[in-house]
Amino acid sequence: MNRIIKDLESVCAYKGSYQFKLTRGEDDQSPPMLTFVSSAHLTFSAHDDQEAIASISYYIDRDEEGGYRLMRKDVLLAGGEAEKTTEAFAICERVRTIKLKFYDDKGQELDFWNSDFDIEGQRNKAPSAVLIDLRLLAPGQTGNPDEEGETPDAYRFLTRIKIGAT
């Protein structure tokens, strides 16, 4: 959660507007992907700019054992183009569910955000806050991240991250 919090707290405008969106794949069964521009680029080389702006994506992926993990991808931006992509890596394993809620500048809770569309004042804006409800499987437990229902032995992490001046 610390990595996600740092990334979201560092959301920034790029070329005069915010790029922040939750998207789904081709069908409704595909897991969502959260993509936004942030100044929290992760560098793994001494030659990379530590203060660079990147497009960061989070998404759910299947692991080799058939479980689910939360992945993070970081694409360094330069001059309006993607300059350098780091390979996606797992932020956490054994994901049961992840739910996101977005809050606009009036405090209204929304299930969806896309700064590319003019939906409820979202155009070129980032939400004021993001709520993350992440549930991880306990050891020995199995499950699908799309399954609903409470399980007493799932680990729950819940946080709301305030996004800077949007």
Side-chain angles (χ1 to χ4, degrees):
M1 284 299 254
N2 286 337
R3 180 74 253 163
I4 298 170
I5 291 168
K6 181 171 181 158
D7 289 345
L8 286 169
E9 287 178 338
S10 300
V11 165
C12 62
Y14 183 67
K15 293 193 164 193
S17 65
Y18 287 87
Q19 298 171 22
F20 195 104
K21 57 186 151 185
L22 180 69
T23 56
R24 290 203 175 269
E26 300 276 326
D27 58 26
D28 285 339
Q29 300 306 313
S30 298
M33 177 182 286
L34 180 64
T35 304
F36 52 90
V37 173
S38 174
S39 61
H41 167 65
L42 282 179
T43 181
F44 297 103
S45 167
H47 304 291
D48 285 349
D49 184 359
Q50 299 285 336
E51 300 298 319
I53 294 177
S55 176
I56 297 173
S57 297
Y58 283 94
Y59 60 95
I60 298 293
D61 189 33
R62 270 190 159 320
D63 63 21
E64 296 79 30
E65 289 85 40
Y68 295 90
R69 58 190 174 191
L70 181 61
M71 303 293 290
R72 181 190 188 274
K73 186 174 184 178
D74 185 321
V75 179
L76 183 62
L77 300 175
E81 299 294 322
E83 180 181 272
K84 189 174 187 181
T85 303
T86 59
E87 194 169 317
F89 61 92
I91 291 292
C92 69
E93 306 280 340
R94 303 191 47 77
V95 173
R96 177 171 173 79
T97 61
I98 185 166
K99 295 178 184 173
L100 303 171
K101 298 286 183 181
F102 306 96
Y103 296 86
D104 65 14
D105 54 0
K106 297 176 182 123
Q108 180 181 359
E109 184 179 275
L110 306 163
D111 293 325
F112 176 80
W113 195 277
N114 191 329
S115 63
D116 290 343
F117 301 125
D118 195 17
I119 301 172
E120 301 179 38
Q122 296 179 18
R123 182 117 181 114
N124 298 325
K125 294 182 180 180
S128 294
V130 177
L131 178 92
I132 300 173
D133 186 351
L134 175 65
R135 294 174 194 231
L136 304 177
L137 295 170
Q141 186 183 18
T142 60
N144 181 325
D146 295 325
E147 291 174 3
E148 293 295 327
E150 297 293 320
T151 54
D153 49 353
Y155 299 116
R156 184 178 190 195
F157 300 90
L158 182 68
T159 189
R160 185 176 358 205
I161 300 108
K162 177 148 178 42
I163 302 212
T166 55

